[in-house]
Amino acid sequence: MSEQYIESAVTDPETAEHLAHIGSVRSRLEKEGRVGELAPKYYIQTFGCQQNEADSERLAGLCAAMGYVKTADPEEAELILVNTCAVREHAEKRALSIIGSYKHIKDKNPAVVIGVGGCMVTQKARADKLRGSYPYVSFTFDTGAVDRVPALLDNALQGGKRTFVLSDEWKIAEGIPIRRESKHMAWLSIMYGCNNFCSYCIVPYVRGRERSRSAEAILEEARALIDDGAKDITLLGQNVNSYDGGPYDDRRVDIAELMHRICALDGDFRLRFMTSHPKDASDRLIEAMAAEEKVVKHFHLPVQSGSDRILKAMNRKYTAEAYLEKIAKIRAAVPDVSLTSDIIVGFPGETEEDFEATLAIMKAARYDMVFSFIYSPRAGTPAAAMENQIPREVSSERMERLLALGAKIADERNERFVGRRIRVLAEDVSKTDASMLTGRGDPVRPVHFAADPSLIGQFADVEITAARTYCLEGKLV
Ligand code: SAH
Ligand code: SF4
Ligand code: F3S
């Protein structure tokens, strides 16, 4: 996998102060002769969504800047960073169990430093738990404190006190170096945080209030990415429709205008965005998708439930009818659009009738893919305190029905690509067949086709020959 190093301007003095520790760590390593072959290794374990993946690329950028070298094996790392997720209980359990499994690494080599960041440790109770029950963890840092990692490491290496950072304000730290996992596909964060407070969701508590990066900084990063060979760029934010141009602009740059400006940049690339809240997906955004050739015709528009009663209890601020109207608008403007959704099963109080309304909206919306989750109570959110929590067996049974319907519709939707010529970005050698490449185009599912690996990172015209359950198959034309 290729790596890339981008440095943008540091805009605030506090971040500059934190990043100055990069130099201290680096020069100490140099003095000890720990460079080149002898350089210490870092290992990063990432849970959760694309925002976390993007943050981990910043963590990797910081590690590299400090003089550490990447390893895929935690056993040989001297710096282990775990980037956690808190969206469901399962995610937290997995993170805690991985962190637990690193104890023996620290036992073998006390010089190893283990740090934990991300959404889980942005909750005080979890940071406290790590402080109390995981004494081999040197530091934790909340989602707004990625820029503090060099200082935290510097302190740990000098035998300083264990530190648990919980910031009281969330800002945007520009200027953190980024080491990307892929050269041709890139995450580009345009905003952070969420103000929506859906009643089940922990994200607003662990990611803070919405704040947008300046359009200028985003365009600069996009330009650098494209120059470096990025072909597929995804604009990231919990709710990209709330993008407002950031504090340095005139605040009239909305998501549509931002997309137009990025598409106007020279180069052969595609643009995606994630995620849109149905209540805010604007006409202007839909028009931008329709008008801009570079924008991938894919809308991820999570519905969560098809029952108005449940949508209200979820604080989603739309009805099933309004949602379907929004979809009709999108399909009118972009007839071939791929539509995907997130759905929660077993929200407190969900009756069989409510659940059937969810199945009904799936049939009406005809999603290309659905990401479905059994409701998981999150301490501190309103839904966790609601009566009528749904027993696991009931949720599991509903989930099975939902999955079956989702797969059936997705298969039907996928058929439309058979016989078509599609422009695919060759991403990698297929995991199941070494003679095949896997790539992505407008369809949501990956496309497999026989081709030489030298094509990786480039666009290819592929004729789709078959639709399978998890992929499309095609041949190079
Ligand atoms: N900001 C995005 C994604 C948020 S988290 C959005 O609003 O669409 C991704 C998905 O996780 C959500 O869409 C929701 O379907 C699911 N999710 C969030 N909290 C959950 C919980 N407590 N239990 C189960 N699923 C949850
Ligand atoms: Fe969570 Fe709702 Fe915000 Fe999405 S919009 S991150 S589901 S609170
Ligand atoms: Fe998880 Fe945080 Fe993303 S809770 S889903 S990593 S925003």
Side-chain angles (χ1 to χ4, degrees):
M1 257 186 241
S2 67
E3 291 190 348
Q4 183 205 7
Y5 195 63
I6 286 193
E7 234 167 322
S8 55
V10 178
T11 44
D12 86 278
E14 211 178 293
T15 302
E17 207 175 286
H18 295 151
L19 297 184
H21 288 265
I22 292 175
S24 339
V25 174
R26 194 180 184 102
S27 52
R28 193 159 336 104
L29 289 176
E30 279 164 5
K31 250 184 240 151
E32 292 166 2
R34 305 229 39 210
V35 293
E37 299 243 295
L38 299 175
K41 299 196 165 104
Y42 73 88
Y43 175 79
I44 300 176
Q45 173 75 49
T46 308
F47 295 95
C49 64
Q50 292 84 357
Q51 335 280 329
N52 258 19
E53 286 178 30
D55 282 346
S56 284
E57 293 183 341
R58 293 185 182 93
L59 292 172
L62 290 169
C63 290
M66 289 186 291
Y68 284 69
V69 175
K70 180 177 167 172
T71 173
D73 178 8
E75 304 282 337
E76 59 172 26
E78 283 180 50
L79 171 60
I80 297 180
L81 297 173
V82 185
N83 196 2
T84 61
C85 170
V87 80
R88 283 170 289 276
E89 191 188 6
H90 181 65
E92 294 199 326
K93 278 199 172 144
R94 278 177 59 215
L96 289 172
S97 113
I98 283 270
I99 297 164
S101 76
Y102 294 149
K103 177 177 184 295
H104 79 277
I105 299 179
K106 178 86 175 179
D107 285 345
K108 261 194 284 184
N109 179 4
V112 170
V113 175
I114 301 175
V116 182
C119 295
M120 183 178 81
V121 293
T122 304
Q123 307 164 95
K124 183 158 189 313
R126 294 290 181 233
D128 285 348
K129 187 181 169 94
L130 287 177
R131 183 189 349 223
S133 312
Y134 297 73
Y136 46 92
V137 169
S138 294
F139 57 84
T140 69
F141 52 102
D142 63 82
T143 56
V146 169
D147 59 332
R148 287 178 186 257
V149 166
L152 292 165
L153 175 65
D154 201 6
N155 174 62
L157 289 173
Q158 294 182 75
K161 278 199 183 125
R162 297 172 72 211
T163 315
F164 304 87
V165 181
L166 284 168
S167 322
D168 50 9
E169 72 165 329
W170 271 279
K171 53 183 173 51
I172 295 181
E174 290 288 352
I176 301 180
I178 301 178
R179 204 156 256 259
R180 291 188 150 87
E181 282 290 319
S182 163
K183 203 177 174 70
H184 43 270
M185 285 200 320
W187 308 121
L188 176 42
S189 300
I190 62 165
M191 60 173 299
Y192 303 90
C194 181
N195 291 352
N196 288 315
F197 290 95
C198 303
S199 64
Y200 50 81
C201 186
I202 197 73
V203 171
Y205 305 88
V206 293
R207 288 272 167 184
R209 294 297 64 74
E210 285 173 358
R211 56 228 182 262
S212 299
R213 291 179 69 194
S214 77
E216 223 172 66
I218 295 166
L219 279 159
E220 210 174 282
E221 193 171 333
R223 179 72 269 161
L225 283 168
I226 297 159
D227 289 346
D228 204 66
K231 294 270 191 297
D232 192 301
I233 298 175
T234 306
L235 306 181
L236 281 189
Q238 293 298 347
N239 179 13
V240 293
N241 263 275
S242 301
Y243 179 77
D244 68 1
Y248 318 104
D249 273 279
D250 53 15
R251 288 199 171 251
R252 276 176 308 170
V253 181
D254 64 355
I255 178 69
E257 171 66 18
L258 182 71
M259 282 175 25
H260 287 306
R261 288 193 193 178
I262 295 175
C263 288
L265 296 173
D266 274 341
D268 189 13
F269 65 92
R270 291 195 298 220
L271 194 62
R272 303 170 191 266
F273 56 93
M274 282 184 83
T275 298
S276 289
H277 194 300
K279 76 174 162 54
D280 311 303
S282 65
D283 291 354
R284 284 173 50 80
L285 174 62
I286 298 169
E287 283 156 19
M289 175 179 281
E292 293 289 355
E293 212 188 313
K294 286 173 175 164
V295 174
V296 175
K297 309 307 177 215
H298 169 208
F299 232 111
H300 183 58
L301 203 62
V303 69
Q304 312 296 0
S305 168
S307 153
D308 287 345
R309 212 175 59 80
I310 296 294
L311 285 170
K312 192 156 198 297
M314 286 177 162
N315 193 29
R316 289 292 285 182
K317 301 194 174 88
Y318 53 82
T319 59
E321 192 187 346
Y323 179 89
L324 288 173
E325 272 167 25
K326 188 80 67 170
I327 286 187
K329 236 184 209 176
I330 295 172
R331 288 211 198 278
V334 190
D336 195 40
V337 70
S338 290
L339 206 66
T340 56
S341 189
D342 294 348
I343 293 181
I344 294 178
V345 177
F347 183 84
E350 185 187 75
T351 61
E352 175 61 25
E353 203 184 343
D354 293 321
F355 176 66
E356 278 165 20
T358 296
L359 297 180
I361 208 165
M362 286 169 69
K363 287 181 194 154
R366 299 197 53 74
Y367 295 116
D368 290 88
M369 194 155 12
V370 170
F371 302 89
S372 47
F373 311 99
I374 290 183
Y375 169 72
S376 170
R378 307 283 67 211
T381 63
M386 286 179 188
E387 284 169 17
N388 277 322
Q389 300 283 329
I390 305 296
R392 190 80 194 181
E393 320 80 76
V394 176
S395 301
S396 302
E397 189 270 339
R398 286 180 188 164
M399 178 62 118
E400 270 175 42
R401 284 152 67 197
L402 186 150
L403 287 172
L405 177 65
K408 180 171 168 281
I409 297 170
D411 283 347
E412 288 163 10
R413 290 284 298 155
N414 240 9
E415 285 292 337
R416 78 187 192 279
F417 292 110
V418 177
R420 274 200 219 172
R421 244 182 214 205
I422 286 171
R423 197 154 182 257
V424 174
L425 175 65
E427 276 178 69
D428 219 335
V429 175
S430 159
K431 286 195 181 78
T432 47
D433 181 347
S435 70
M436 306 280 275
L437 297 187
T438 167
R440 57 179 188 170
D442 276 1
V444 176
R445 293 190 192 189
V447 179
H448 292 277
F449 57 103
D452 193 80
S454 62
L455 210 64
I456 290 172
Q458 292 177 45
F459 288 112
D461 284 326
V462 174
E463 188 184 308
I464 303 300
T465 51
R468 306 260 179 250
T469 305
Y470 297 107
C471 67
L472 293 167
E473 281 175 19
K475 58 174 196 279
L476 213 53
V477 287

